[in-house]
Amino acid sequence: MSPVAGALLVVGDVVTDVVARHRTPLAPATDTAAQIRTLPGGAGANAACWAARSGCGEVRLLGRVGADAAGWHERALRRAGVRPLLVQDPEAATATVIALVDSSAERTFLTDSGAALRLSPGDWSAGFLDGVARLHLSGYLFFAAPSRETARRALRDARDAGVPVSVDPASAGFLAELGVDGFLAAADGAEVLLPNADEAASLTGVDRPEAAAAELSRRFPLVVVTLGAAGALVAEGGAVVARVAAPPVRPVDSTGAGDAFTGAFLAARLAGAAPAKAAEQGCRAGAEAVTVVGGRPPELPPPT
């Protein structure tokens, strides 16, 4: 695959993350000591930032935020090299996630979707695809009616324009609420599906990641299933065609590791990498992501 000229457009969620790292188990009805930070996040926004960090020349992000934190998020995105296309919601606050991170670096989310899932068809225009070589849709958009319709329109317009589309299913918990058939119908037409092992199992009813990846690749041309520290599987045409290892690291916080994989994978594909090589880039970014707190790449120091 040759390099593709054009931007990456991500349509997805922009979130304020409150990351609470606790070394001891949560103590019900009393205090648990924790290190707490408030950081910019969101699966779509994180992926966009990691794509920029991974060398993608132009990355754009369309998302909906509340007026309460719009300026803060816009500045953070610009510092990360992402061009923000943020719609300010006059009624809802910016989405907020409380990430409870235990001593093993595993995270559990408490999610208030706020303005993120209020991204409406009126916020979308096919003109956003001008100069775009790849469109990525955060799966969180599929879990509410207005944003699901927006995602469907964006996917349809991209296909009409010959722009390949990738989708990250985003949440096994929310997939269970929406229903597998509803999600698959909404994502129909995407070229690439990027689930983690739990999401792949939810979408297929198959626990073994290799079998789930193979089954999903009968519906989507390219499927990449992330396996955390175990790396990733690449499947095409009903079969797993590559297994990629992840670099060994000491994890601090697993928040955003999948988003890092997605951003680096898409940047590599735009640069002309084959799927397995792009998955290697994704695994390296995911490994880096778990060594820092929050879902974004560490900000680079200013040039000296």
Side-chain angles (χ1 to χ4, degrees):
M1 177 180 169
S2 300
V4 179
L8 170 66
L9 172 61
V10 179
V11 183
D13 49 322
V14 179
V15 175
T16 299
D17 281 347
V18 180
V19 181
R21 296 169 60 216
H22 55 99
R23 294 184 178 180
T24 59
L26 294 175
T30 186
D31 296 304
T32 301
Q35 295 176 315
I36 301 175
R37 294 181 64 187
T38 300
L39 299 165
N46 292 345
C49 292
W50 280 100
R53 168 65 176 270
S54 301
C56 192
E58 183 180 358
V59 185
R60 309 171 190 172
L61 173 71
L62 174 64
R64 194 173 180 96
V65 296
D68 58 316
W72 182 62
H73 280 290
E74 182 163 331
R75 290 189 296 273
L77 289 165
R78 290 192 184 280
R79 286 197 305 271
V82 175
R83 178 185 168 191
L85 306 170
L86 301 184
V87 180
Q88 286 196 34
D89 194 304
E91 299 175 4
T94 302
T96 301
V97 167
I98 298 175
L100 305 175
V101 183
D102 65 20
S103 59
S104 72
E106 187 57 78
R107 83 288 187 275
T108 299
F109 292 155
L110 301 175
T111 302
D112 179 347
S113 297
L117 300 191
R118 288 163 56 93
L119 189 72
S120 69
D123 298 328
W124 169 257
S125 167
F128 285 132
L129 294 167
D130 291 346
V132 167
R134 211 170 254 281
L135 170 68
H136 177 68
L137 300 173
S138 170
Y140 282 107
L141 298 175
F142 292 82
F143 302 132
S147 54
R148 182 164 58 249
E149 179 57 29
T150 307
R152 289 170 63 97
R153 290 192 186 189
L155 196 159
R156 179 196 64 207
D157 288 345
R159 283 178 56 84
D160 288 347
V163 174
V165 181
S166 55
V167 174
D168 167 15
S171 169
F174 285 167
L175 276 173
E177 292 182 20
L178 173 64
V180 169
D181 291 343
F183 176 84
L184 291 175
D188 187 50
E191 179 208 38
V192 182
L193 189 71
L194 296 158
N196 64 24
D198 288 342
E199 292 153 6
S202 294
L203 289 169
T204 60
V206 177
D207 289 335
R208 196 164 66 88
E210 291 84 355
E215 182 171 332
L216 287 169
S217 72
R218 296 184 181 97
R219 185 175 190 120
F220 299 94
L222 175 62
V223 174
V224 184
V225 177
T226 55
L227 307 172
L233 301 169
V234 180
E236 297 180 274
V240 172
V241 296
R243 181 167 190 141
V244 177
V249 294
R250 185 174 181 177
V252 170
D253 174 13
S254 60
T255 302
D259 308 331
F261 180 97
T262 293
F265 176 87
L266 295 175
R269 290 290 285 159
L270 277 169
K277 288 294 183 183
E280 290 177 7
Q281 297 280 0
C283 285
R284 282 195 284 271
E288 181 183 3
V290 301
T291 66
V292 298
V293 178
R296 300 282 176 89
E299 292 191 7
L300 299 176
T304 57

